[in-house]
Amino acid sequence: MKDWLNRYFKLEEHNTTIRTEMVGGTTTFMTMSYIIFVQPAILSAAGMDKGAVMVATCVASAIATLLMGLLARYPIALAPAMGHNVFFAIIVCGIMGYSWQVALGAVFISGSIFLVLSLIGVWKSLVAAVPDSLKHSIAVGIGILIAFIGLQYGGIVVKAPPPVPGTTDILVFLGDLASKPVLLTLFGVALTAILMANKVHGAILLGILGTALLGIPLQVVAYHGICSTPPSIVPTFLKLDIAGAVQTGLISVVFIFFFLDLFDTIGTLIGVSSPAGFLRGGKLPRADKAMFSDAVGTISGALMGTSTVTSYIESASGIAQGARTGLANIFTSFLFLIALFFSPLAEMIAGSYTHNDLVLRPVIAVPLIIVGYLMMKCVILIKWDDLTEAIPSFLTIIIMPLAFSITEGIAFGFISYSILKLASGKGRHVHWIIYLFAILFIIRYLIK
């Protein structure tokens, strides 16, 4: 077995060992395993069963991570993406009013399109079509939106009280900073930030656990135990409504799911592979297999009952520990399956607390705020000295949290980018796909 692993994963060629890969894979799992607890909490807002979502999350992550390890042979793990889950539960199911079954159908369709494009290689052209500034601004906008939701979950930002007659309406307001849930959230953010500043692996997970532990004596978090048999996946298994997603005309939603998955995956693969030395002449060998693994993960996730699965930037932590091959993913995948037996812990972390008629989730607020910070770092990559790039990027970033919609942010970005480039005589440098989507977005607004 040892010889086979050495030959298949080329351990000696990559100057690594089975033990090193095991440590790297375990480190990656510790760093990204917060999604096991966050995903049920977010998707439950759409009416989905928390236990079933947790099982779907663990199994889909295990499948996709295993495929990435065996086919692409990279130590890059996959799981349901932050941002995608918020778009799924809060925007599509909440604001737009679609059922979670229909939303899962849209995820399945987007995953299927991704699968086809990964097999024929068209995704390369799509990635090249979108300018870097818009790619980075989309990531930043999603990060601010996620952080904004986290601030609301923690009670730090609340709906403003009725205005005094004759004054300007205020939409949001600072919450009660002396209340137990707000103090717990602030503690969790501070703890996680301190751990990250000291480069502690698994800082986000440890921050979640530390926040939940403190929340028990404060009676903000209800203790449910640690281990048990895995919950039933029946409430969400094969409950997706593909026909409903087609009949309701969720073209823009499918596009957003696909678009986010595509650029999340590309960005992560490049971001992780470059410092690890996986790139060859600026290209990533076996990239098609990596994209295939991502697509299968999304499809299997939709079938089982969770939102879009994609590659995780947290994989860089395992690579920093020496992981260099897909063998690390085998260990990460196994740990996702072991996590199935920790559903009481997930229930405790995902639990809500009512304060002043507000339903808060202070433990889950912590990773949302921290992930918002992590995504915000892309802002330095935007070309702020070029107004034709900067203004569309700014509009993309600012519209997402204020309109509470990823779709609207992308629409404003694409439309303004096309107009400014044409008006400044740089229109020929814009890919026709950008113009096409800009026109489609404009038509969408006109026929509303």
Side-chain angles (χ1 to χ4, degrees):
M1 183 63 175
K2 184 177 180 180
D3 291 338
W4 181 84
L5 291 174
N6 187 38
R7 289 196 305 273
Y8 186 80
F9 292 106
K10 301 178 180 179
L11 300 180
E12 292 183 0
E13 180 179 323
H14 290 90
N15 195 30
T16 184
T17 64
I18 294 176
R19 182 183 181 281
T20 300
E21 296 297 299
M22 180 180 69
V23 171
T26 302
T27 301
T28 293
F29 174 80
M30 287 292 294
T31 307
M32 66 185 291
S33 57
Y34 64 86
I35 193 63
I36 298 170
F37 309 117
V38 175
Q39 188 74 351
I42 293 178
L43 296 198
S44 66
M48 300 181 71
D49 181 85
K50 292 180 182 177
V53 171
M54 179 194 170
V55 174
T57 297
C58 290
V59 175
S61 301
I63 291 173
T65 299
L66 184 64
L67 283 176
M68 178 71 81
L70 292 176
L71 299 180
R73 286 175 283 175
Y74 289 122
I76 301 174
L78 300 90
M82 293 295 297
H84 301 237
N85 49 11
V86 171
F87 178 66
F88 180 103
I90 308 298
I91 309 299
V92 179
C93 297
I95 296 176
M96 299 177 71
Y98 292 103
S99 69
W100 59 264
Q101 293 90 340
V102 169
L104 283 178
V107 171
F108 179 87
I109 294 171
S110 71
S112 299
I113 295 173
F114 202 157
L115 179 63
V116 172
L117 295 182
S118 71
L119 293 174
I120 63 179
V122 176
W123 57 269
K124 296 179 181 178
S125 299
L126 292 175
V127 172
V130 181
D132 291 339
S133 291
L134 286 183
K135 293 176 188 174
H136 300 314
S137 63
I138 289 169
V140 174
I142 293 173
I144 296 176
L145 175 59
I146 290 174
F148 184 45
I149 293 172
L151 292 170
Q152 293 181 68
Y153 275 3
I156 298 172
V157 171
V158 299
K159 182 179 180 180
V164 176
T167 62
T168 304
D169 288 354
I170 299 174
L171 299 180
V172 294
F173 205 70
L174 191 64
D176 181 6
L177 297 184
S179 65
K180 291 191 294 184
V182 173
L183 289 174
L184 182 62
T185 301
L186 294 174
F187 165 81
V189 172
L191 173 62
T192 307
I194 291 171
L195 292 172
M196 293 175 68
N198 286 279
K199 297 180 170 46
V200 176
H201 295 297
I204 295 178
L205 175 63
L206 293 174
I208 291 174
L209 296 177
T211 305
L213 188 62
L214 179 61
I216 295 174
L218 291 177
Q219 297 183 327
V220 175
V221 175
Y223 180 73
H224 294 283
I226 303 297
C227 300
S228 74
T229 55
S232 172
I233 197 175
V234 172
T236 60
F237 184 64
L238 298 182
K239 295 298 192 296
L240 68 168
D241 185 357
I242 301 174
V246 174
Q247 292 172 4
T248 52
L250 290 181
I251 298 176
S252 63
V253 172
V254 171
F255 165 70
I256 296 300
F257 277 132
F258 168 77
F259 183 89
L260 294 178
D261 192 13
L262 179 66
F263 291 110
D264 266 8
T265 302
I266 293 297
T268 299
L269 289 177
I270 294 174
V272 171
S273 299
S274 181
F278 297 151
L279 298 180
R280 296 290 182 272
K283 297 181 179 180
L284 183 66
R286 305 181 300 281
D288 55 337
K289 293 182 174 59
M291 302 294 283
F292 175 83
S293 304
D294 190 290
V296 172
T298 293
I299 292 172
S300 61
L303 292 172
M304 286 181 281
T306 195
S307 55
T308 309
V309 173
T310 190
S311 303
Y312 259 59
I313 194 68
E314 284 85 349
S315 302
S317 64
I319 293 174
Q321 290 295 301
R324 288 295 181 272
T325 75
L327 179 57
N329 271 25
I330 309 301
F331 295 106
T332 305
S333 178
F334 175 72
L335 290 172
F336 268 116
L337 296 179
I338 294 296
L340 289 169
F341 297 93
F342 291 89
S343 60
L345 188 60
E347 177 68 21
M348 180 174 69
I349 289 172
S352 61
Y353 178 83
T354 302
H355 174 73
N356 290 341
D357 297 326
L358 295 174
V359 179
L360 306 176
R361 292 182 172 85
V363 180
I364 294 302
V366 173
L368 293 181
I369 295 170
I370 294 296
V371 169
Y373 144 72
L374 292 173
M375 298 182 72
M376 184 73 182
K377 292 191 294 184
C378 294
V379 74
I380 64 174
L381 301 175
I382 297 172
K383 298 176 180 178
W384 293 110
D385 56 343
D386 182 348
L387 291 183
T388 63
E389 301 275 340
I391 291 178
S393 297
F394 168 74
L395 290 174
T396 300
I397 293 170
I398 201 68
I399 291 296
M400 281 191 192
L402 296 186
F404 220 74
S405 172
I406 296 172
T407 308
E408 309 305 345
I410 293 175
F412 270 69
F414 275 42
I415 293 171
S416 60
Y417 189 87
S418 300
I419 293 174
L420 283 174
K421 288 295 184 180
L422 284 171
S424 62
K426 301 177 181 178
R428 64 184 182 279
H429 299 302
V430 180
H431 199 286
W432 65 267
I433 291 178
I434 302 300
Y435 288 129
L436 173 62
F437 280 115
I439 293 171
L440 292 175
F441 279 128
I442 291 173
I443 294 173
R444 171 174 168 266
Y445 286 127
L446 292 176
I447 63 177
K448 268 190 175 182

